[in-house]
Amino acid sequence: MSIPKFPSVPPLSGAQIRALTELVFRPDLTERTVPCYDLLFVFGGSHPEIWITAAHAYQQGIVKQVLITGGYKENATRHHTWTYGRTPEAQVIRDKLVELGVPKEKMVWEDQSANSLENVWFGLQRVDVSRLSTILFVSKAYAVGRQHRTLTRHLPERITLAAYPALTTIGKIPVTSWGWSRVLAHRAVVYGEYLRMVAYGKRGHLTPLEKEITGL
């Protein structure tokens, strides 16, 4: 059974809000521990902030290579600025990164995936994982927790991971770790991320939660 992007949200206590923030946004992952990462893993998406954030990471000189993921999924909800029809997300992101100054020879990509699990499955086939020890990944800020667990489920434990979040908007307001609980649509999308982590962990798609949030 699929989980809606904006599920109904039960009343949330202060403790539940804090627990959701820690699990969904994973602020601990944004503290980078190495000066330069072997790979920048870019999760697919239609929001311009995805490629703007990826370009910024490359321009900081903190990544050696860029892996872009994302195909075309029928009936997917896309950002209102998307004008690229059925073009796979990875191809659009690649072209945008070139426009933003990232050398094409520094990039590899896959354009067949339809979800985050496939982003990881197909994406990791495009690089030699045995040569990687550090990965920085770009995803929507409110998806960092889920994407991190998806990566850890399919990567060797020896690989160090860190996040480079893209602050994407819903209702023209960025979904942030400090403000999501004050906006109804943001509460729904964050709660949906939590439900996905629970459900996909049980299916083996990602590293399961160590403990579910009491009362949710």
Side-chain angles (χ1 to χ4, degrees):
M1 183 176 68
S2 62
I3 298 167
K5 185 174 180 63
F6 298 99
S8 298
V9 185
L12 299 174
S13 68
Q16 289 170 331
I17 288 171
R18 289 189 292 274
L20 284 167
T21 300
E22 292 296 318
L23 282 175
V24 172
F25 290 90
R26 288 298 302 271
D28 58 305
L29 290 174
T30 61
E31 297 182 8
R32 293 181 290 281
T33 57
V34 297
C36 189
Y37 289 78
D38 296 326
L39 184 71
L40 181 69
F41 188 108
V42 183
F43 281 92
S46 62
H47 289 244
E49 290 88 350
I50 296 290
W51 51 81
I52 292 170
T53 302
H56 186 264
Y58 182 84
Q59 290 159 357
Q60 297 304 302
I62 57 175
V63 296
K64 299 174 183 176
Q65 185 183 30
V66 182
L67 168 60
I68 308 165
T69 68
Y72 174 82
K73 183 178 180 180
E74 201 72 48
N75 301 320
T77 301
R78 294 178 178 82
H79 193 262
H80 66 88
T81 59
W82 183 267
T83 58
Y84 311 104
R86 300 174 64 87
T87 305
E89 293 170 352
Q91 293 183 22
V92 173
I93 295 170
R94 175 200 64 198
D95 293 346
K96 291 296 182 181
L97 288 178
V98 170
E99 291 177 12
L100 292 168
V102 180
K104 194 172 182 178
E105 62 269 20
K106 293 292 184 179
M107 295 184 275
V108 293
W109 56 88
E110 69 77 23
D111 56 11
Q112 301 301 309
S113 58
N115 54 52
S116 296
L117 178 61
E118 292 183 358
N119 287 167
V120 173
W121 274 352
F122 299 153
L124 293 180
Q125 294 176 23
R126 302 287 295 124
V127 294
D128 183 355
V129 175
S130 69
R131 298 175 66 87
L132 301 176
S133 60
T134 57
I135 295 176
L136 185 67
F137 68 92
V138 171
S139 76
K140 297 172 185 174
Y142 63 80
V144 163
R146 178 168 58 86
Q147 308 298 41
H148 176 259
R149 289 177 179 274
T150 305
L151 284 167
T152 57
R153 175 67 179 81
H154 301 281
L155 282 170
E157 290 185 10
R158 60 176 175 77
I159 294 181
T160 298
L161 290 168
Y164 206 83
L167 282 181
T168 55
T169 59
I170 295 177
K172 298 183 179 180
I173 303 172
V175 186
T176 65
S177 61
W178 58 90
W180 69 269
S181 64
R182 298 192 289 271
V183 181
L184 289 178
H186 296 188
R187 288 169 76 96
V189 79
V190 167
Y191 182 57
E193 283 296 312
Y194 170 71
L195 295 179
R196 286 178 183 83
M197 283 192 281
V198 172
Y200 298 165
K202 292 177 179 177
R203 297 176 195 174
H205 296 179
L206 50 76
T207 300
L209 299 181
E210 293 74 19
K211 181 181 179 181
E212 295 181 24
I213 298 174
T214 302
L216 294 184

